[in-house]
Amino acid sequence: DTGVSQDPRHKITKRGQNVTFRCDPISEHNRLYWYRQTLGQGPEFLTYFQNEAQLEKSRLLSDRFSAERPKGSFSTLEIQRTEQGDSAMYLCASSSRATIETQYFGPGTRLLVL
Amino acid sequence: AQSVTQLDSHVSVSEGTPVLLRCNYSSSYSPSLFWYVQHPNKGLQLLLKYTSAATLVKGINGFEAEFKKSETSFHLTKPSAHMSDAAEYFCVVSGNYGGSQGNLIFGKGTKLSVKP
């Protein structure tokens, strides 16, 4: 499977705990994006990387959120001190230099904060 | 600022009848527009995209959309619905000119139900 992969697919945690999600983009895609989707809504942009550089962050990305892409390949999204409002589907997407605007999405990580 | 409005939160059709999912956009420049589909427990899949070439865009699975600048619309259509088309559909606009900044702006989605 050469698509975007995300791990884990599901995560249940208690309020106040830290969680980390991983995204592996399509091979050789230089751009990687994170989105959040809450129930009944469309995905909302969080942040994106071009290679290892984080180029844009949404106002949705509070100080408790941090994302990295250390070697320009996979990326991690960490949420510290989780809150119930963080419960959502976290989606990762990637795109190539040739077709920047065409983003390919992974299956998502569904987070439930109790 | 760029935005999209999906005019129906839920559309129900019978199998074999036409599908119309409506989307209006707002953009300060000529936008890039997309339709994505999301089946339950599956990732978002790109159906089609408009990037200032032909105004009638053909996508996968028999879907097509027409860009109408005068109406600021980008409605999605399919001549004959199939049971497998039941899913959530999102109209999407690129957040910045030429996609240089990368973010996509999604509508709230339209849930398509297909009755046998």
Side-chain angles (χ1 to χ4, degrees), chain A residues 39-109:
Chain A
L39 208 58
Q41 301 294 319
E44 295 172 291
F45 171 77
L46 292 177
T47 187
Y48 94 97
F49 294 83
Q50 180 163 294
N51 300 314
E52 65 276 7
Q54 188 173 16
L55 296 186
E56 188 176 355
K57 292 194 286 187
S58 158
R59 281 174 288 182
L60 292 175
L61 212 65
S62 76
D63 292 344
R64 297 184 297 104
F65 288 69
S66 63
E68 294 182 342
R69 195 183 183 199
K71 297 182 180 179
S73 56
F74 73 91
S75 175
T76 57
L77 177 68
E78 181 183 17
I79 309 175
Q80 296 183 324
R81 306 181 303 281
T82 53
E83 301 173 355
Q84 287 184 323
D86 297 331
S87 296
M89 176 77 86
Y90 290 85
L91 296 166
C92 177
S94 68
S95 67
S96 70
R97 291 177 207 276
T99 54
I100 288 176
E101 291 183 303
T102 304
Q103 297 183 18
Y104 297 89
F105 283 80
T109 295

Side-chain angles (χ1 to χ4, degrees), chain A residues 9-10 31 33 35 37 40-45 48 55-56 89 91 99-107 110, chain B residues 32 34 36 38 41-44 46 49 51 90 94 96-104 106-109:
Chain A
R9 294 290 304 275
H10 303 272
R31 287 195 173 190
Y33 312 81
Y35 292 81
Q37 184 178 20
Q41 301 294 319
E44 295 172 291
F45 171 77
Y48 94 97
L55 296 186
E56 188 176 355
M89 176 77 86
L91 296 166
T99 54
I100 288 176
E101 291 183 303
T102 304
Q103 297 183 18
Y104 297 89
F105 283 80
R110 185 172 294 282
Chain B
S32 294
F34 311 79
Y36 279 82
Q38 188 174 39
N41 300 316
K42 291 192 175 180
L44 286 157
L46 179 66
K49 64 179 180 179
T51 54
F90 293 96
S94 179
N96 298 90
Y97 178 71
S100 60
Q101 296 303 315
N103 61 309
L104 296 178
F106 285 74
K108 292 189 174 183

Side-chain angles (χ1 to χ4, degrees), chain B residues 16-75:
Chain B
T17 64
V19 175
L20 170 64
L21 304 183
R22 299 182 295 164
C23 173
N24 286 351
Y25 71 89
S26 173
S27 178
S28 54
Y29 49 79
S30 184
S32 294
L33 292 159
F34 311 79
W35 277 98
Y36 279 82
V37 61
Q38 188 174 39
H39 288 92
N41 300 316
K42 291 192 175 180
L44 286 157
Q45 182 182 20
L46 179 66
L47 274 180
L48 51 81
K49 64 179 180 179
Y50 166 78
T51 54
S52 74
T55 56
L56 183 62
V57 183
K58 293 188 184 300
I60 61 171
N61 300 335
F63 284 94
E64 62 182 36
E66 187 172 7
F67 174 74
K68 290 187 177 180
K69 187 175 180 179
S70 60
E71 299 176 8
T72 61
S73 69
F74 190 59
H75 301 334

